[in-house]
Amino acid sequence: MRFSVFAYSQEKLLEYGLDVTDALILDWFANFFIGKMEKRIFKDSSDNPKIFGWVKISKIMEDLPVIGITSEKGIRRRFDAFVEKGLMQRETVITQGGKRSYYRTTELYDTLLNTKAAERQESKKTDSDKSIKISQRNSTTFAERNENTYAQGNSSSYALNDSLTNDSLVTDSLKISEFKNSAVAFNNASEKIFGKNAFDESFPEKAAAFFMQNKIKIESAEIYLEFIRKRVTEKKPSNPRGLAYRLFFQNDILQEFRNLQSELSEKVAESEKYLSVCPVCGKEKVNVYASCPKCGFDMTTANDDEKLGIARKIWNLPPEKKRLFKIDEEKFIRRKLSLGFASLADKNTREQIKTEMSELYKKYGIEA
C-alpha cells in the first residue's frame, strides 16, 4: 500500500473513514489557508485567540471540478464530517449576506500528516537554515513590499530598522502560529481604529513582528493603535496615515506607551477604586478605563452627560426597537469606517457624520 496520499498518511485516512475526495478537499483547505483565504480570530473556551479561515463552498467547486461534487450541499456534508470526526473546528457568523462558516484544523488533523519524510529532511538542516518562511506570499522582505506602497509621502520615511525588515523569515524564536494570530489581530484592530485600507497590506505582518520582537502581548494591539491615533490627532498633520505609520514603529513612542501602561497597571493594582458600577446598565465592578462588558458603554465617558444620556436611552429601548437600532448603527459605523482616516480628518466630513448620527438618534426617539 502506498504510504501517502497528498500530504496525508493513507493508513490514517482509512482509520478515520476518509476517502481520496476528503484528502483532496483537506489539501485544498491547507494550501488556501496559508494563502489568500479570509481569516478571522475567534476565542476558545479558555479565552485564547485562534485563527480560522472562511470556506467559500463555491470556490471549492470552482477549483476542484475533478471531485465530481456539483452541489454546495455535498461539499458542506464533507466539512460537517470533518468537524464531527474532530479534524476541524467551526465557527459560524451571521452576516447581512447570510451565514459564513470559518474553519481551522485541530491536533487530530495533524496526525494525518506524513511527517516522517519531513523529519528526516529537518535532521539534515544546519542551524543556519532553521528560518521558516511564513508563506509563499510573504517571500519578499517587508522593505521590498513597502517600496511600491504609500504614495502619500517619501517611502523612505516608512523604512524600519534592519532587524525588522528582514523578518519575512521568522526564526525559531518567533512562533509561526503566534505570528499569524498577531497579524490577523492587527488587521482587525487597524480597521477598527483607522478604517479599512488605512495602511498598506504588509502593515499587519510588520506590526506583528514589531510587537513580537519587543515582547509585547498582542492583547495590547488595539490599545496601542488607539494611543497612536490620539498622538496623530494632537499633531493635526497633512498626512495623518503616514504619521501614524511612522509613529507606530518608533522605539521612543513604544517606550512612552509602555510607561503609560505601566503607570496605569500600578494604579489599578493599588486598589479597586478603578472599578465602578456601570451608570447605564448597573453592572458592578467595571473597569473605569474600559467598556462595560454588559452594555458596551465606554466608562471613560461617564462624566460626559450627553453621551451618558444617549447610552441610557439606547439601553432602555424596547428589545425589538433596540435590535433595529443596533442594525442601523452598525451600518452607520461601517460607512464611517469606509471613509478612511484621511477623509474623517476633513471638517465638512465630520459635520456630515455628526448630522447623520443625530438623524439616526431622532429616528429612534433618542435625543441628547
Side-chain angles (χ1 to χ4, degrees):
M1 180 177 72
R2 179 176 174 175
F3 187 79
S4 297
V5 176
F6 302 113
Y8 307 111
S9 162
Q10 187 169 184
E11 181 181 358
K12 285 293 184 180
L13 289 171
L14 292 171
E15 179 182 334
Y16 296 146
L18 303 174
D19 59 23
V20 70
T21 298
D22 292 319
L24 187 53
I25 293 174
L26 287 171
D27 183 71
W28 174 92
F29 178 85
N31 283 284
F32 195 32
F33 187 86
I34 64 174
K36 296 182 179 181
M37 181 180 285
E38 179 183 320
K39 311 294 196 314
R40 184 162 179 170
I41 292 289
F42 295 91
K43 291 188 176 181
D44 62 17
S45 57
S46 301
D47 207 35
N48 297 315
K50 300 293 182 182
I51 184 171
F52 286 71
W54 174 43
V55 172
K56 189 176 182 180
I57 301 299
S58 60
K59 176 66 174 171
I60 300 178
M61 296 172 64
E62 176 186 336
D63 288 351
L64 302 176
V66 70
I67 63 178
I69 300 178
T70 57
S71 69
E72 293 191 0
K73 188 174 181 180
I75 300 291
R76 288 196 184 93
R77 278 200 294 264
R78 297 278 177 165
F79 277 87
D80 288 343
F82 296 154
V83 174
E84 290 173 4
K85 294 174 186 294
L87 299 170
M88 284 187 170
Q89 293 176 341
R90 175 172 52 207
E91 293 286 349
T92 302
V93 175
I94 306 298
T95 69
Q96 290 182 338
K99 291 183 179 180
R100 277 193 172 191
S101 293
Y102 292 77
Y103 295 86
R104 72 184 297 269
T105 56
T106 65
E107 291 184 1
L108 187 61
Y109 164 87
D110 293 340
T111 65
L112 284 172
L113 300 174
N114 175 11
T115 59
K116 291 185 178 180
E119 288 170 357
R120 286 195 298 269
Q121 181 66 24
E122 183 65 24
S123 66
K124 297 178 182 178
K125 290 183 179 181
T126 63
D127 291 340
S128 61
D129 292 328
K130 288 184 179 178
S131 294
I132 305 171
K133 288 186 178 180
I134 289 301
S135 70
Q136 187 63 35
R137 182 171 59 90
N138 299 330
S139 60
T140 56
T141 65
F142 291 136
E144 291 169 339
R145 288 168 55 187
N146 192 45
E147 185 176 346
N148 296 319
T149 56
Y150 270 91
Q152 303 100 308
N154 186 341
S155 62
S156 63
S157 300
Y158 310 105
L160 306 177
N161 59 63
D162 291 340
S163 63
L164 181 58
T165 55
N166 289 329
D167 268 344
S168 58
L169 295 181
V170 178
T171 63
D172 290 341
S173 63
L174 303 179
K175 297 178 181 179
I176 292 179
S177 60
E178 182 182 351
F179 180 89
K180 289 183 177 180
N181 288 345
S182 297
V184 173
F186 265 115
N187 183 64
N188 295 337
S190 64
E191 285 189 5
K192 180 177 180 179
I193 303 299
F194 292 103
K196 195 170 184 179
N197 299 323
F199 306 118
D200 69 298
E201 65 175 11
S202 67
F203 171 76
E205 293 157 356
K206 294 180 186 177
F210 183 68
F211 257 44
M212 293 176 73
Q213 284 187 334
N214 287 281
K215 298 181 180 179
I216 305 174
K217 293 182 178 179
I218 189 58
E219 289 77 12
S220 299
E222 187 174 322
I223 301 173
Y224 185 57
L225 285 168
E226 178 62 24
F227 171 76
I228 295 296
R229 187 195 67 79
K230 289 180 179 178
R231 289 294 299 270
V232 172
T233 302
E234 291 170 1
K235 295 180 179 294
K236 299 180 180 178
S238 58
N239 182 8
R241 287 185 293 177
L243 178 60
Y245 194 98
R246 291 197 303 273
L247 291 179
F248 186 99
F249 297 104
Q250 288 183 200
N251 289 326
D252 58 335
I253 298 298
L254 177 61
Q255 188 57 51
E256 182 181 338
F257 171 75
R258 278 175 156 165
N259 292 340
L260 288 174
Q261 291 299 108
S262 179
E263 291 174 8
L264 178 60
S265 297
E266 289 175 2
K267 290 179 180 179
V268 172
E270 287 177 1
S271 66
E272 289 191 348
K273 64 182 179 181
Y274 294 100
L275 298 180
S276 183
V277 176
C278 175
V280 175
C281 65
K283 182 174 176 59
E284 298 181 348
K285 294 185 177 182
V286 179
N287 192 317
V288 297
Y289 292 101
S291 296
C292 175
K294 184 176 181 180
C295 67
F297 178 66
D298 183 356
M299 294 292 286
T300 63
T301 64
N303 292 326
D304 188 320
D305 293 337
E306 180 179 347
K307 291 183 178 179
L308 177 58
I310 290 174
R312 283 173 171 168
K313 289 176 181 178
I314 294 173
W315 177 253
N316 290 320
L317 286 173
E320 180 61 18
K321 197 170 184 179
K322 186 189 294 186
R323 185 185 70 81
L324 295 174
F325 171 79
K326 290 296 183 182
I327 292 174
D328 284 347
E329 183 184 42
E330 183 177 350
K331 291 179 181 178
F332 169 79
I333 292 173
R334 286 181 178 176
R335 200 189 80 75
K336 179 180 176 182
L337 291 176
S338 70
L339 295 174
F341 187 67
S343 297
L344 292 175
D346 178 70
K347 182 179 179 181
N348 292 332
T349 302
R350 292 200 304 270
E351 288 298 325
Q352 180 183 348
I353 290 296
K354 186 176 180 180
T355 300
E356 290 180 12
M357 178 56 82
S358 296
E359 291 175 352
L360 176 61
Y361 288 155
K362 288 180 181 179
K363 178 180 177 180
Y364 290 90
I366 301 168
E367 296 180 2

